[in-house]
């Protein structure tokens, strides 16, 4: 009888150890997937590629460390990670780089405008140069048409911190429109993070309280808008974000 009891105890202990080991491996694999998904996300591959951000996940609790060049890069990183599957919490310990002798307010503003331009598919950020002086933004480079040049001015003027815009871009009409395939490669977490940052950065929508959800490139937005024009602007900004396939705006009006 004693031998049977010892056998049952040993079997139960072995089973418990196997279950514990299996759970540990499962948790470890999940953490690895979180870290890999973060590295491969559109935001980390493109918008944060010049920053130094490290991601460490333990049982779904993610810690972000490293440095970024802008405060909104810090929040963009956190928003992206928080939306990754299996992430339970995010401890954002990222440090914004201290100002150097060449890192002036105008330079940071120019970099901010340049980065925000990357969000918008109807602009031409790779061919747009941005400079700033006393809060006034100077745009040079090329636009594919007059409408794109005017939209670049409109978006720049609406960015927090910009006083005025001098758009010196040259219009170079393009006869052919290159096929865009990047939207198929952008993950939902990156799309949502970009949308949130875009709405917060544009002064016309910075105070609007919204809830954003993205499923397979389709963005659903809810919340309250002051009027129909504000609701329409939210839709316009979201539609122009890289990767967005469609927008369902369920915001109610005051």
């Amino acid at each position: 009888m004693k031998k049977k009891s010892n056998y049952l105890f040993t079997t139960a202990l072995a089973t418990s150890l196997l279950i514990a080991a299996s759970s540990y491996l499962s948790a470890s694999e999940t953490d690895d997937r979180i870290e890999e998904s973060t590295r491969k996300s559109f935001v980390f591959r493109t918008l944060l590629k010049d920053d130094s951000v490290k991601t460490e996940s333990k049982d779904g609790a993610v810690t972000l460390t490293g440095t970024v060049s802008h405060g909104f890069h810090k929040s963009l990183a956190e928003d992206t990670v928080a939306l990754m599957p299996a992430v339970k919490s995010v401890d954002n310990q990222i440090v914004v780089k201290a100002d150097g002798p060449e890192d002036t307010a105008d330079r940071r503003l120019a970099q901010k405008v340049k980065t925000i331009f990357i969000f918008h598919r109807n602009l031409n950020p790779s061919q747009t140069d941005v400079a700033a002086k006393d809060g006034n933004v100077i745009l040079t480079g090329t636009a594919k048409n007059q409408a794109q040049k005017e939209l670049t001015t409109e978006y720049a003027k609406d960015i927090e911190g910009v006083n005025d815009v001098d758009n010196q871009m040259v219009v170079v009409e393009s006869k052919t429109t290159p096929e865009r395939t990047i939207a198929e490669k952008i993950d939902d977490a990156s799309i949502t993070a970009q949308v949130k940052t875009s709405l917060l950065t544009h002064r016309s929508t910075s105070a609007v309280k919204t809830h954003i959800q993205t499923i397979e490139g389709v963005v659903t937005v809810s919340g309250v808008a002051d009027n129909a024009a504000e609701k329409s602007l939210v839709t316009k900004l979201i539609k122009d974000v890289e990767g967005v396939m469609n927008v369902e705006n369920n915001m109610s009006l005051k």
Side-chain angles (χ1 to χ4, degrees), residues 118-176:
I118 298 175
F119 292 171
H120 300 298
R121 73 180 94 204
N122 287 321
L123 302 187
N124 194 19
S126 64
Q127 300 300 318
T128 305
D129 296 316
V130 183
K133 185 176 182 180
D134 299 329
N136 298 316
V137 170
I138 302 95
L139 304 175
T140 56
T142 60
K144 295 178 181 178
N145 48 58
Q146 185 62 31
Q148 186 179 75
K149 178 178 179 178
E150 293 174 358
L151 186 61
T152 305
T153 302
E154 177 186 339
Y155 280 168
K157 281 185 175 180
D158 199 40
I159 293 176
E160 290 283 359
V162 175
N163 296 327
D164 199 7
V165 177
D166 178 13
N167 193 337
Q168 302 175 12
M169 297 174 70
V170 177
V171 175
V172 179
E173 297 284 351
S174 177
K175 296 181 180 179
T176 58

Side-chain angles (χ1 to χ4, degrees), residues 54-188:
K54 296 180 181 179
T55 306
E56 183 178 358
S57 178
K58 186 175 182 180
D59 297 331
V62 179
T63 301
L64 296 177
T65 57
T67 59
V68 293
S69 55
H70 304 285
F72 75 94
H73 279 199
K74 178 177 179 177
S75 59
L76 185 61
E78 179 176 342
D79 288 341
T80 303
V81 174
L83 294 162
M84 291 292 175
V87 171
K88 298 176 182 177
S89 62
V90 181
D91 180 11
N92 193 344
Q93 300 179 14
I94 295 173
V95 176
V96 180
K97 290 180 182 177
D99 295 350
E102 297 181 357
D103 191 11
T104 63
D106 280 335
R107 183 174 181 178
R108 291 196 301 274
L109 178 61
Q111 291 175 334
K112 177 182 180 181
V113 173
K114 180 75 172 178
T115 302
I116 295 300
F117 281 175
I118 298 175
F119 292 171
H120 300 298
R121 73 180 94 204
N122 287 321
L123 302 187
N124 194 19
S126 64
Q127 300 300 318
T128 305
D129 296 316
V130 183
K133 185 176 182 180
D134 299 329
N136 298 316
V137 170
I138 302 95
L139 304 175
T140 56
T142 60
K144 295 178 181 178
N145 48 58
Q146 185 62 31
Q148 186 179 75
K149 178 178 179 178
E150 293 174 358
L151 186 61
T152 305
T153 302
E154 177 186 339
Y155 280 168
K157 281 185 175 180
D158 199 40
I159 293 176
E160 290 283 359
V162 175
N163 296 327
D164 199 7
V165 177
D166 178 13
N167 193 337
Q168 302 175 12
M169 297 174 70
V170 177
V171 175
V172 179
E173 297 284 351
S174 177
K175 296 181 180 179
T176 58
T177 303
E179 183 180 354
R180 299 185 66 91
T181 58
I182 193 169
E184 302 169 5
K185 303 175 184 178
I186 299 182
D187 51 289
D188 288 339

Side-chain angles (χ1 to χ4, degrees), residues 14 17 48 51 63 106 114 120 135 158 176 191 208 215 222:
L17 290 173
L48 304 180
D51 294 312
T63 301
D106 280 335
K114 180 75 172 178
H120 300 298
D158 199 40
T176 58
I191 291 174
V208 181
I215 300 177
S222 57

